[in-house]
Short mmCIF file of all heavy atoms in Angstrom, two decimals:
data_model
loop_
_atom_site.label_atom_id
_atom_site.label_comp_id
_atom_site.label_asym_id
_atom_site.label_seq_id
_atom_site.Cartn_x
_atom_site.Cartn_y
_atom_site.Cartn_z
N ARG A 17 2.10 4.75 0.98
CA ARG A 17 2.04 5.51 2.22
C ARG A 17 2.28 6.99 1.92
O ARG A 17 3.24 7.33 1.22
CB ARG A 17 3.09 5.00 3.21
CG ARG A 17 2.86 3.58 3.65
CD ARG A 17 4.11 2.97 4.30
NE ARG A 17 4.57 3.75 5.45
CZ ARG A 17 4.08 3.63 6.68
NH1 ARG A 17 3.11 2.75 6.91
NH2 ARG A 17 4.55 4.37 7.67
N VAL A 27 -9.75 21.18 3.39
CA VAL A 27 -9.05 20.66 2.22
C VAL A 27 -8.33 19.37 2.58
O VAL A 27 -8.40 18.37 1.85
CB VAL A 27 -8.04 21.70 1.69
CG1 VAL A 27 -7.21 21.10 0.55
CG2 VAL A 27 -8.76 22.95 1.22
N ASP A 62 5.98 6.93 1.12
CA ASP A 62 6.40 6.78 -0.27
C ASP A 62 6.28 8.13 -0.98
O ASP A 62 7.09 8.47 -1.84
CB ASP A 62 5.50 5.76 -0.99
CG ASP A 62 5.55 4.40 -0.33
OD1 ASP A 62 6.65 3.82 -0.27
OD2 ASP A 62 4.50 3.94 0.15
N LEU A 66 2.51 17.78 -0.73
CA LEU A 66 3.01 18.98 -0.06
C LEU A 66 2.37 20.28 -0.55
O LEU A 66 2.51 20.65 -1.72
CB LEU A 66 4.53 19.04 -0.29
CG LEU A 66 5.30 20.23 0.25
CD1 LEU A 66 5.27 20.26 1.78
CD2 LEU A 66 6.74 20.18 -0.24
N GLY A 73 6.37 28.95 6.16
CA GLY A 73 7.35 28.95 5.08
C GLY A 73 6.84 28.36 3.78
O GLY A 73 5.70 27.92 3.68
N ALA A 107 14.23 21.31 -7.53
CA ALA A 107 14.43 20.87 -6.15
C ALA A 107 14.33 19.35 -6.01
O ALA A 107 14.61 18.82 -4.94
CB ALA A 107 13.42 21.55 -5.23
N SER A 116 -7.33 23.07 -7.41
CA SER A 116 -8.64 23.07 -8.05
C SER A 116 -8.89 21.80 -8.86
O SER A 116 -9.97 21.61 -9.42
CB SER A 116 -8.75 24.29 -8.98
OG SER A 116 -7.72 24.27 -9.96
N ARG A 127 -0.73 8.20 -7.22
CA ARG A 127 -0.39 6.84 -7.66
C ARG A 127 0.75 6.86 -8.67
O ARG A 127 1.68 6.04 -8.62
CB ARG A 127 -1.62 6.18 -8.28
CG ARG A 127 -2.64 5.69 -7.26
CD ARG A 127 -3.74 4.93 -7.97
NE ARG A 127 -4.63 4.29 -7.03
CZ ARG A 127 -5.94 4.22 -7.15
NH1 ARG A 127 -6.52 4.77 -8.21
NH2 ARG A 127 -6.68 3.59 -6.26
N ALA A 130 4.02 7.77 -6.99
CA ALA A 130 4.50 6.63 -6.21
C ALA A 130 5.13 5.56 -7.10
O ALA A 130 6.06 4.86 -6.69
CB ALA A 130 3.34 6.03 -5.41
N ASP A 137 1.48 19.31 -15.42
CA ASP A 137 0.51 19.67 -16.44
C ASP A 137 1.23 19.86 -17.77
O ASP A 137 2.24 20.58 -17.83
CB ASP A 137 -0.19 20.98 -16.03
CG ASP A 137 -1.34 21.35 -16.95
OD1 ASP A 137 -1.19 21.20 -18.18
OD2 ASP A 137 -2.38 21.79 -16.45
N LEU A 141 4.94 21.99 -19.19
CA LEU A 141 6.16 21.26 -19.47
C LEU A 141 7.14 22.02 -20.36
O LEU A 141 8.35 22.01 -20.13
CB LEU A 141 5.85 19.90 -20.08
CG LEU A 141 5.48 18.80 -19.09
CD1 LEU A 141 5.18 17.51 -19.82
CD2 LEU A 141 6.60 18.59 -18.08
N VAL A 144 8.86 24.57 -18.34
CA VAL A 144 9.78 23.94 -17.38
C VAL A 144 11.07 23.54 -18.08
O VAL A 144 12.17 23.81 -17.61
CB VAL A 144 9.12 22.71 -16.73
CG1 VAL A 144 10.14 21.93 -15.90
CG2 VAL A 144 7.95 23.12 -15.85
N THR A 149 16.78 23.91 -19.08
CA THR A 149 17.87 23.80 -20.07
C THR A 149 18.56 25.12 -20.31
O THR A 149 19.52 25.20 -21.07
CB THR A 149 17.34 23.26 -21.41
OG1 THR A 149 16.30 24.12 -21.89
CG2 THR A 149 16.78 21.85 -21.26
N ARG A 151 17.31 27.73 -21.80
CA ARG A 151 16.91 28.45 -23.00
C ARG A 151 16.13 29.71 -22.63
O ARG A 151 16.10 30.67 -23.40
CB ARG A 151 16.05 27.55 -23.89
CG ARG A 151 16.87 26.51 -24.63
CD ARG A 151 16.03 25.64 -25.51
NE ARG A 151 15.14 24.80 -24.73
CZ ARG A 151 14.48 23.75 -25.23
NH1 ARG A 151 14.61 23.44 -26.50
NH2 ARG A 151 13.70 23.03 -24.46
N LEU A 170 6.96 45.66 -1.50
CA LEU A 170 6.07 46.22 -2.53
C LEU A 170 4.74 45.47 -2.54
O LEU A 170 3.67 46.06 -2.70
CB LEU A 170 6.73 46.14 -3.90
CG LEU A 170 7.89 47.09 -4.18
CD1 LEU A 170 8.49 46.80 -5.55
CD2 LEU A 170 7.42 48.54 -4.11
N ALA A 174 3.94 48.76 0.50
CA ALA A 174 4.82 49.76 1.12
C ALA A 174 5.27 50.81 0.11
O ALA A 174 5.55 50.51 -1.05
CB ALA A 174 6.04 49.06 1.73
N ASP A 177 9.36 55.39 0.91
CA ASP A 177 9.79 55.85 2.23
C ASP A 177 9.69 54.72 3.26
O ASP A 177 10.58 54.55 4.10
CB ASP A 177 8.95 57.04 2.68
CG ASP A 177 9.32 58.32 1.94
OD1 ASP A 177 10.44 58.38 1.40
OD2 ASP A 177 8.48 59.24 1.90
N SER A 180 12.44 52.27 2.70
CA SER A 180 13.68 52.84 3.22
C SER A 180 13.78 52.60 4.73
O SER A 180 14.82 52.15 5.23
CB SER A 180 13.72 54.34 2.93
OG SER A 180 14.76 54.97 3.64
N THR A 189 18.67 54.87 -1.87
CA THR A 189 19.03 53.46 -2.00
C THR A 189 17.78 52.61 -2.18
O THR A 189 17.74 51.71 -3.03
CB THR A 189 19.82 52.98 -0.76
OG1 THR A 189 20.99 53.77 -0.60
CG2 THR A 189 20.20 51.51 -0.89
N ALA A 190 16.75 52.91 -1.38
CA ALA A 190 15.49 52.18 -1.49
C ALA A 190 14.88 52.39 -2.88
O ALA A 190 14.38 51.44 -3.50
CB ALA A 190 14.51 52.65 -0.42
N SER A 204 6.66 48.18 -15.63
CA SER A 204 6.69 49.63 -15.78
C SER A 204 6.16 50.34 -14.55
O SER A 204 6.18 51.57 -14.46
CB SER A 204 5.87 50.05 -17.00
OG SER A 204 4.54 49.58 -16.88
#
Side-chain angles (χ1 to χ4, degrees):
R17 295 164 57 83
V27 174
D62 301 299
L66 177 65
S116 58
R127 283 186 172 140
D137 187 318
L141 278 180
V144 171
T149 57
R151 285 180 293 193
L170 288 175
D177 285 340
S180 169
T189 302
S204 57

